[in-house]
Structures are given as structure tokens and as C-alpha cells.
Amino acid sequence: MALWTDRILPRLVDKSLSTGDVMKERERVCAGLAGQVIELGFGSGLNIEKYPPAVESVAAVEPSDVAWAMSADRRSASRTPITRSGLDGQALNESDGSFDAALSTFTLCTIPDVELALREVHRVLRPSGTFHFLEHGLAPEPGVVRWQHRMEPVQKAVAGGCHLSRDIPALVSDAGFEVTALDQRYLPGPKVGRPWTYVHSGTAVRR
Ligand SMILES: C[S@@+](CC[C@H](N)C(=O)[O-])C[C@H]1O[C@@H](n2cnc3c(N)ncnc32)[C@H](O)[C@@H]1O
């Protein structure tokens, strides 16, 4: 299982989450990021090319050494200074109020204690700092939700702990943010993929 989780999964994630449709979503969610930014679950650095010029630096939180190594070329091609600041979104190393903005894409599904991680993001953001998120999660139709619950144990086992049915906007609000923009829809693709493709994309302000 370690071979699958540690070596193969980061490569599958990189391939499956770099399609044209997903890259457009990344561009949308990165718009407006500025100043000192923390990115949760940095992965292989697929967001780097979408950082706006107003981003001054990025603190990357990423537990996977393989994903971090995969991001090397993207990091060196970027004009944004990027440092690996930690390994776990549930226990950030930074002091309170040290960032202007935070970014999370397809990561809140995977972090085991997502409530704790969101409280940590809230803690390290300055007052009125913004949280930009692009996450798959709970769908609106009961039929799709039933499949999300059915498939969730399998998904967790094969996809590094990924949950299908997390209610992302509610989690973000409950952590002390005001959601100020929210776009919720299925990514393009066949209907059978709907348990996996409902995305919640938006920005929230630290209350
Ligand atoms: C599906 S991948 C998404 C990667 C990247 N954010 C992207 O959009 O391509 C989920 C990422 O969350 C990371 N992750 C898992 N547990 C984590 C934790 N406790 N704290 C921070 N990141 C975590 C994984 O290593 C992986 O890189």
C-alpha cells in the first residue's frame, strides 16, 4: 500500500487534476490572491502557473516528498518564491496572523481532521485575510449523495484518505470564515462520475 500511496498516487493526482477544465478552475480560484500566501496540500505545484503577479511569496504545506519533488521544475520556473513551510495542515508552523491569503485546492477532502486544519488556516491569516478554495464534495441531489456515501470507504482506501461527501462551504463557515463568493457545479464529464465531480469553489474572509 505504501508504494501505491507514496509513489503512484501523487502521479495519478498530477495527471487527473491537470486537465484543461481543472486548470481553468485553478485560474479562477487563484484570481485575487496577493501578498504572503499559504497553500495547504501543495501537491505537485499545479497552481503555481496560476498565481497572480501580486503574490509575493508562497508557504507550501505538503506531507508527500514525492509530490514536493514533482513540483521542482514548476517551482524553479516560477518568479514567486516558494518554500516548504510544513508537512501537516492540521498543525501549521506559522504564527498567528502571518498571511494575507490562503489557498486550498482538492485538499480539504483528504486532511483527516479537516475542522482542525481550517481552524489553523483561520489562525494564521491576518484579520480580513482571504481563503480561496476549490474542492470537490457534497453534491446537491440525494441520489448522488447516496452514491457518495456508498463509495466513500473505497475512495478513502484507494485515494489517500479522500472523502467524497464533505460539506465544504459549511466547514469553511464553521471555522470562522464568511463565504463571500461561491460557485458550485459539476465539472464536465459523464453523469456516472458525479459523486466525484461536484466542486465548491469560492473565497471566504476571516471573521
Ligand atoms: C488530491 S491531492 C491535491 C494536491 C494539490 N492541492 C492539487 O490541487 O493538485 C491532496 C493533497 O493533500 C495532501 N495532504 C494530505 N494530508 C495532508 C495534511 N494533513 N496536510 C496538508 N496536506 C495534506 C496530499 O499529500 C496531497 O498532495
Side-chain angles (χ1 to χ4, degrees):
M1 201 65 181
L3 172 72
W4 171 260
T5 310
D6 299 346
R7 309 240 143 234
I8 300 172
L9 195 59
R11 291 181 169 85
L12 287 179
V13 167
D14 182 79
K15 277 270 167 274
S16 60
L17 294 181
S18 57
T19 61
D21 289 325
V22 178
M23 293 310 284
K24 275 189 215 142
E25 297 292 333
R26 292 182 186 280
E27 182 159 14
R28 223 169 274 148
V29 76
C30 288
L33 286 171
Q36 317 293 317
V37 175
I38 184 163
E39 181 169 351
L40 217 57
F42 182 79
S44 57
L46 287 170
N47 291 320
I48 293 176
E49 66 177 81
K50 306 299 184 190
Y51 296 155
V55 172
E56 289 163 18
S57 69
V58 171
V61 181
E62 176 51 54
S64 163
D65 291 337
V66 170
W68 180 249
M70 286 169 63
S71 72
D73 288 348
R74 293 180 179 125
R75 279 185 281 122
S76 46
S78 169
R79 38 132 235 111
T80 309
I82 300 167
T83 50
R84 192 179 187 186
S85 73
L87 305 178
D88 185 0
Q90 300 160 124
L92 299 177
N93 294 322
E94 286 74 15
S95 46
D96 298 3
S98 43
F99 292 97
D100 300 299
L103 172 66
S104 173
T105 61
F106 306 106
T107 293
L108 298 182
C109 54
T110 298
I111 296 181
D113 190 339
V114 65
E115 287 95 348
L116 178 57
L118 284 165
R119 285 201 301 277
E120 279 290 88
V121 170
H122 186 271
R123 180 182 67 74
V124 301
L125 277 178
R126 64 164 168 77
S128 302
T130 55
F131 177 44
H132 295 226
F133 56 92
L134 165 62
E135 301 287 343
H136 71 92
L138 192 67
E141 298 89 357
V144 179
V145 174
R146 269 196 297 280
W147 276 105
Q148 288 186 317
H149 288 304
R150 268 182 212 140
M151 296 307 295
E152 196 147 72
V154 181
Q155 176 78 2
K156 281 164 73 178
V158 301
C162 173
H163 295 69
L164 293 174
S165 64
R166 284 183 168 169
D167 185 344
I168 302 299
L171 286 163
V172 172
S173 297
D174 290 351
F177 291 93
E178 182 188 350
V179 176
T180 48
L182 184 61
D183 186 17
Q184 296 168 294
R185 63 208 151 81
Y186 290 102
L187 292 174
K191 267 189 165 180
V192 70
R194 289 193 160 184
W196 290 269
T197 59
Y198 194 71
V199 292
H200 308 258
S201 176
T203 50
V205 175
R206 183 195 192 278
R207 283 199 300 259

